[in-house]
Amino acid sequence: YLHPQAQRFFHRILVDLVDSDQCQVIYSTHSPIFADMTRFESIRLLHKSAGEATSASWVHKDTDLSYLDNQLRRQKLNQYMDPSTSEALFARKVLLVEGHGDYLAAKLVADRLKIDLDAEGLSVVSCGGKNAIPFFARTCAALGIPALVMHDEDLYPDTGQPLAGWQLEENAKAPAQNAEILSAASGSENVFLLKPSLEGELGIGRAASDKPLKVIDALSSMKLEQMPVGLVAAVRALTGVEETVNSRG
C-alpha cells in the first residue's frame, strides 16, 4: 500500500538495519523495489503449483555466489540498476535485453503476435547494457527462472572498405563479451543475436539521437517477416509462438 517513493525509503531503512548488524529482517513481497536482485544472496524465491507443496530456490552454490559477487563489483550494478529489472524474479519466463530500445522492440513484436505478456506472466527486462546481461542471466539460472537473452553481436566483417575506429574496438572486445553471455545463459539455445546490432539491422546510425524512438518508428512500418530475424525469434521463443526461422547464435 506504499507509493514507490515510500517503498524505496522503507526498503533502504530495512537494508540499513541489516547492513549495520542490528537485526535480521524477513519479509515477503511482490514488489520489484523490495526484491532487489543486487542482494541476490538474500533472496528466497517460493514456488507453488496446484496439488504440490511449496518449494524454495535461492543462490546457494559457491560458484554462483562468487561469480555474481564479482559481476556486481565489476559492473557496479548496485549503483545504477533500475529496480524494474527485479521484475524478472516474478516472471514465468523472461527475455533479457540490453537497453530500452530493445525492450520496446520486443514489446512491439509481442503485440504483433497478439500476445499479452502480462497476462501470460512473461517479462522483457532491460539490463541497462550488454555488460550487465551475464549477471542477470546467471541469477535467473541459479534461481530456476527460465531466461532467454537477446543482444547485439557487435561484430563487423571486412567488406573491403576500411572499418571505422569504433568498429575495430567492437570487434576486439565483442568475442569475449559474447562468450561470457553465452556461458551465463546456459547455452546457445537461449541466446538470440542481432547482427551486427538492432540499430544496424534497421539502418539507424550509431550516432543517431533518440534511438529508441527511431527503432519503434522503423519497426512500426514493417511486417513481421521484414523485421530482424533475431528479434522476432527471441520473442517467439519467449511467448511460445512457433519459430519459423532459427537465428540463435
Side-chain angles (χ1 to χ4, degrees), residues 51-63:
E52 297 181 5
T54 299
S55 61
S57 59
W58 65 95
V59 183
H60 61 278
K61 293 182 180 178
D62 289 340
T63 51

Side-chain angles (χ1 to χ4, degrees), residues 32-244:
I33 292 175
F34 283 97
D36 183 355
M37 288 184 78
T38 65
R39 301 181 71 86
F40 54 86
E41 73 284 356
S42 301
I43 293 172
R44 300 294 184 269
L45 196 60
L46 302 182
H47 312 267
K48 180 71 168 71
S49 299
E52 297 181 5
T54 299
S55 61
S57 59
W58 65 95
V59 183
H60 61 278
K61 293 182 180 178
D62 289 340
T63 51
D64 288 332
L65 290 165
S66 176
Y67 178 89
L68 293 174
D69 184 63
N70 182 53
Q71 284 288 319
L72 196 64
R73 287 186 287 103
R74 279 177 54 200
Q75 308 303 334
K76 299 180 173 60
L77 295 179
N78 54 356
Q79 295 182 20
Y80 69 85
M81 191 180 82
D82 189 327
S84 65
T85 54
S86 293
E87 181 181 322
L89 295 171
F90 306 100
R92 181 172 60 83
K93 193 174 187 179
V94 63
L95 173 63
L96 303 172
V97 300
E98 292 188 35
H100 191 56
D102 307 284
Y103 167 84
L104 294 175
K107 298 276 282 188
L108 185 148
V109 172
D111 288 342
R112 288 287 184 88
L113 292 171
K114 301 188 184 305
I115 298 292
D116 186 329
L117 297 179
D118 292 331
E120 299 297 331
L122 306 171
S123 286
V124 179
V125 170
S126 168
C127 296
K130 185 174 181 177
N131 287 334
I133 289 178
F135 172 84
F136 294 104
R138 186 71 170 263
T139 302
C140 287
L143 292 171
I145 302 168
L148 305 170
V149 174
M150 181 183 76
H151 69 88
D152 295 341
E153 185 180 42
D154 291 322
L155 292 175
Y156 297 86
D158 184 357
T159 59
Q161 298 293 326
L163 295 175
W166 65 269
Q167 291 174 316
L168 294 173
E169 290 178 7
E170 293 287 357
N171 282 352
K173 67 182 182 181
Q177 289 179 322
N178 296 344
E180 186 163 21
I181 291 173
L182 193 66
S183 175
S186 304
S188 60
E189 67 275 8
N190 298 319
V191 178
F192 298 83
L193 298 178
L194 301 166
K195 303 180 180 182
S197 66
L198 177 60
E199 291 82 4
E201 291 202 54
L202 296 174
I204 299 171
R206 184 172 184 265
S209 59
D210 298 324
K211 285 185 181 179
L213 177 61
K214 287 182 169 61
V215 165
I216 294 304
D217 283 346
L219 291 172
S220 296
S221 63
M222 294 179 175
K223 296 180 179 178
L224 201 61
E225 58 270 21
Q226 297 173 316
M227 295 180 182
V229 173
L231 168 63
V232 176
V235 179
R236 286 185 184 276
L238 174 66
T239 60
V241 176
E242 185 178 351
E243 230 176 294
T244 56

